[in-house]
Amino acid sequence: MEVIFIALFSVATAVALVARRLKVPYTVALVAAGLSLGAAQVFHPPHLTKELLYAVFLPGLVFEAAFSIEFKKFWQNKIAVFSLAIPGLVIAIALTTFLLVPVANSLHFVDNFSLAHGFVFAALIAATDPIAVVALFKSLGAPKRLAVLIEGESLLNDGTAVVVFTIVLGAVTGGTFSAADAGLDFARIVGVGALIGAAVGFALSWVIHQVDDPMIEITLTTIAAYGSFVAAEHFHFSGVIATVVAGMISGNHAARTGMSPSTRVAVATFWEYLAFALNSIVFLLIGFEVRISALLAAWKPIVVAYLAMTLGRAIVLHLVALVLLPTREKLPRAWPPVLTWGGLRGGLSMVLALALPESLPHRELIVAMTFGVVILSIIVQGLTMGPLLRRLGLIGAAETRIEHERLRGSIKGTRAAIAEVDRMQREGTLARDMADEMRAEHEARIDAAEKEMSELHVQAESLREETRLAAHRRALLAEKDAIVAANRRGEVGEAAYTKLLADVDARLTELGGEH
């Protein structure tokens, strides 16, 4: 077993180097490598079972994503995220079923592929996996709000999909179904899971406030990630939702109020590496789990299922876009196609398919369809997302954006260096003439960087507008903070406070969301 895991990490490292050189998404390359090595039967890794996914992979991956997402940006898109992850997911399951079943029966994939079987497949294939897409967005410089929407939706719909799948499978195998009972079960499983996650997250925050040791605090976050999942699953509630809530509280409350800057860096680095390692193994195992011969034998059902799933998601995305039109969260016209195409499927769907009872009619067909749809979505959508973003004009200035961020980071770093020089001079550890010389060098670097940034703004009007909006938004938020602080100190009365806040909020609304 030890040799197999060393081999898996070695393959993952080699694939990462090749993917970077060829400029293809890392996860796509991992799946392709797993397919190739699995077909060649070079070695036999462990099977991607439900126990393995739940015990090792899922809690760590979900916690890292929740820990790193900024709650403020998540909450700014709450209507869109919750619409996609809960009612949108349920509607997508229904649409996929009603699109798939008639075609499956007319083409005679099997005898009597019923709505019940369609719902089972649609429920287990509903969860999206944003890893490949979000990594691609970051590398190409796509709008950050797109990544927030896809990652936020996936954080919630993993838990939603598992709960809906469990309810659907119970109804199909048990033979009874009540919409009211299903709704109550859903609310109970998700709601109590969220409460367990919140309890773990706030308990972690309290403990972290009492200590100042990076190693202990990393260990505490690990306990929160896996402990919240295990606790919720043990009592038959949603472990994924519990881990999402614990992760968001840990990353947005515990990390910012209880951790020192150096500890935050250490914890973030640890989780970033753990997510890389877990993703590397899980996507390789996805490739190993699939038998190409089985996919080729079931290519017609796979293509039909893939088209039904994609069309169902497209309809849901356009419905949600219509719902959001009168709100501050309205989506630009080009975004629904991107969000539709960004709904890749991953290991969770495959594991749910493998967990289907052997007695379920048409189980083998549903498993083959699931595996085929997952592979198609990862490879086809993963490889074509970049061209789609370019075609829609969402990443035309990717290199310019990266250069802009480099210059902005350089200016911030240089100003911090000047502040340190000033501090050393005040303490008497640096002579005045040496301090003046060092300040002059750093100020010259700032001048050069600011000149380059001005030239970039002239070349890229969209980047200039984005920078302008971000600066306006930051200034307005600072103004709002000052008003709130003045009210708390008793310097501004309630009547004036209400009017001032309304004015700032109105100007923030005029700026709109991040586009």
Side-chain angles (χ1 to χ4, degrees), residues 67 211-218 255-256 258-270:
F67 185 88
V211 298
D212 185 19
D213 185 309
M215 295 302 103
I216 293 175
E217 291 173 71
I218 287 172
R256 299 189 182 191
M259 294 181 186
S260 66
S262 59
T263 299
R264 283 201 298 271
V265 171
V267 172
T269 302
F270 166 78

Side-chain angles (χ1 to χ4, degrees), residues 321-367:
L322 287 174
V323 170
L324 295 176
L325 271 178
T327 72
R328 289 180 57 189
E329 297 181 28
K330 64 182 180 181
L331 303 177
R333 188 175 298 177
W335 285 21
V338 174
L339 291 167
T340 298
W341 208 237
L344 278 67
R345 271 49 176 182
L348 180 58
S349 295
M350 296 175 66
V351 167
L352 292 177
L354 291 170
L356 290 172
E358 295 289 342
S359 59
L360 182 73
H362 311 313
R363 179 185 184 276
E364 293 308 314
L365 176 63
I366 293 173
V367 171

Side-chain angles (χ1 to χ4, degrees), residues 225-240:
Y226 288 86
S228 58
F229 192 94
V230 170
E233 288 291 323
H234 177 75
F235 294 106
H236 306 292
F237 301 114
S238 176
V240 176

Side-chain angles (χ1 to χ4, degrees), residues 67-282:
F67 185 88
S68 61
I69 198 167
E70 189 176 339
F71 182 78
K72 185 177 179 181
K73 290 183 179 178
F74 175 87
W75 198 246
Q76 286 171 348
N77 295 282
K78 58 185 178 296
I79 300 174
V81 169
F82 282 98
S83 298
L84 288 171
I86 302 175
L89 181 133
V90 174
I91 295 170
I93 289 172
L95 287 170
T96 302
T97 301
F98 290 117
L99 289 167
L100 171 64
V101 172
V103 179
N105 286 319
S106 65
L107 294 178
H108 304 292
F109 295 152
V110 288
D111 293 330
N112 189 28
F113 191 80
S114 67
L115 285 175
H117 302 118
F119 271 113
V120 169
F121 168 77
L124 65 84
I125 204 68
T128 58
D129 191 323
I131 303 301
V133 176
V134 172
L136 191 65
F137 281 2
K138 290 177 181 177
S139 66
L140 294 175
K144 292 180 180 178
R145 187 182 168 212
L146 266 177
V148 171
L149 287 173
I150 287 182
E151 199 163 17
E153 176 203 359
S154 180
L155 274 175
L156 295 181
N157 78 9
D158 276 2
T160 305
V162 171
V163 174
V164 173
F165 170 76
T166 304
I167 293 171
V168 168
L169 186 61
V172 170
T173 54
T176 58
F177 178 77
S178 164
D181 290 343
L184 288 173
D185 281 346
F186 178 84
R188 176 180 59 83
I189 294 168
V190 171
V192 179
L195 288 175
I196 291 171
V200 172
F202 283 117
L204 170 80
S205 300
W206 183 84
V207 176
I208 280 178
H209 275 82
Q210 315 306 312
V211 298
D212 185 19
D213 185 309
M215 295 302 103
I216 293 175
E217 291 173 71
I218 287 172
T219 305
L220 287 169
T221 58
T222 307
I223 293 170
Y226 288 86
S228 58
F229 192 94
V230 170
E233 288 291 323
H234 177 75
F235 294 106
H236 306 292
F237 301 114
S238 176
V240 176
I241 294 296
T243 306
V244 167
V245 175
M248 293 187 78
I249 292 172
S250 301
N252 289 273
H253 178 63
R256 299 189 182 191
T257 62
M259 294 181 186
S260 66
S262 59
T263 299
R264 283 201 298 271
V265 171
V267 172
T269 302
F270 166 78
W271 280 106
E272 187 176 352
Y273 168 72
L274 188 64
F276 167 79
L278 294 177
N279 272 312
S280 299
I281 301 301
V282 80

